[in-house]
Amino acid sequence: QKEVEQNSGPLSVPEGAIASLNCTYSDRVSQSFFWYRQYSGKSPELIMSIYSNGDKEDGRFTAQLNKASQYVSLLIRDSQPSDSATYLCAVNYNTNAGKSTFGDGTTLTVKP
Amino acid sequence: NAGVTQTPKFQVLKTGQSMTLQCAQDMNHNSMYWYRQDPGMGLRLIYYSASEGTTDKGEVPNGYNVSRLNKREFSLRLESAAPSQTSVYFCASNGLAGGPTQYFGPGTRLLVL
């Protein structure tokens, strides 16, 4: 079993819809959680980080964390064609530094 | 600030050739990482350096060596390239004020014939 698993894609949503991306992790000691966006041919870039249970909102993006269920999700409201990318979930064992474990990614396509 | 830089951007090698991928960061980060990413796959950690003077194996270290030259620079060496090492290689760094967020370089596309 992989340490970080993401829902298999690809995921396709119409413009203006809500895109929901899910991620589960296996190690209960994980402390920090990240969503990176990767455009085709580019390097990953951070879009959201979350450290405590609950929701964290940043513009159209909401990250949700449930440590008891070992589950983290990313909601993208009012999806735009520019959101079309691969989204990588990552978990880290501490909140200061250290290496992260990445999922395989979910590719999102937003259709105009 | 340039962030994380990598050279070269693209390289073609023949089987058995050697090469070194260079990475440098100007964010005063302690930790640096080398990943490979194969088509449709996530990032797999090759080697990392938690701080200057230390290096550790990641998930897929076979066929690679690394050197943490100083706090800024972390190089990845392929001693005898194999077609299975065809991939995109990303360097990343984190630590100190940046916390655990990883900052990635633009990547090196390597083709081994």
Side-chain angles (χ1 to χ4, degrees), chain B:
Chain B
N1 288 351
V4 180
T5 58
Q6 292 182 236
T7 56
K9 286 185 170 56
F10 181 72
Q11 184 74 45
V12 179
L13 291 178
K14 294 181 179 178
T15 297
Q17 288 185 318
S18 62
M19 78 163 295
T20 300
L21 283 66
Q22 306 285 354
C23 174
Q25 53 91 11
D26 62 2
M27 295 176 283
N28 199 35
H29 287 163
N30 281 338
S31 303
M32 298 185 73
Y33 309 85
W34 276 106
Y35 296 93
R36 62 176 288 174
Q37 187 175 40
D38 300 318
M41 302 286 287
L43 296 162
R44 291 188 292 171
L45 183 64
I46 304 171
Y47 270 94
Y48 67 102
S49 171
S51 60
E52 187 178 355
T54 69
T55 60
D56 285 287
K57 294 179 180 180
E59 183 184 353
V60 288
N62 291 345
Y64 306 95
N65 285 302
V66 291
S67 295
R68 184 73 183 267
L69 304 171
N70 47 55
K71 190 171 186 178
R72 292 186 63 249
E73 298 172 288
F74 188 39
S75 63
L76 178 72
R77 183 161 179 82
L78 287 71
E79 292 291 350
S80 179
S84 61
Q85 294 179 304
T86 293
S87 190
V88 180
Y89 292 84
F90 289 105
C91 177
S93 67
N94 72 354
L96 292 181
T101 300
Q102 300 214 359
Y103 295 83
F104 288 85
T108 295
R109 296 182 180 275
L110 176 65
L111 175 62
V112 183
L113 301 175

Side-chain angles (χ1 to χ4, degrees), chain A residues 2-8 20-26 30 32-36 50 64-67 69-75 87-92 101-106:
Chain A
K2 287 180 65 70
E3 293 183 43
V4 178
E5 298 214 32
Q6 298 185 235
N7 50 333
S8 58
S20 177
L21 305 166
N22 303 315
C23 174
T24 58
Y25 59 95
S26 59
S30 298
S32 49
F33 307 87
F34 308 88
W35 285 99
Y36 291 83
I50 186 166
Q64 299 174 316
L65 175 61
N66 184 325
K67 288 187 178 181
S69 301
Q70 296 174 242
Y71 174 89
V72 59
S73 66
L74 179 70
L75 299 178
Y87 290 80
L88 300 169
C89 173
V91 303
N92 193 305
T101 301
F102 287 82
D104 286 344
T106 300

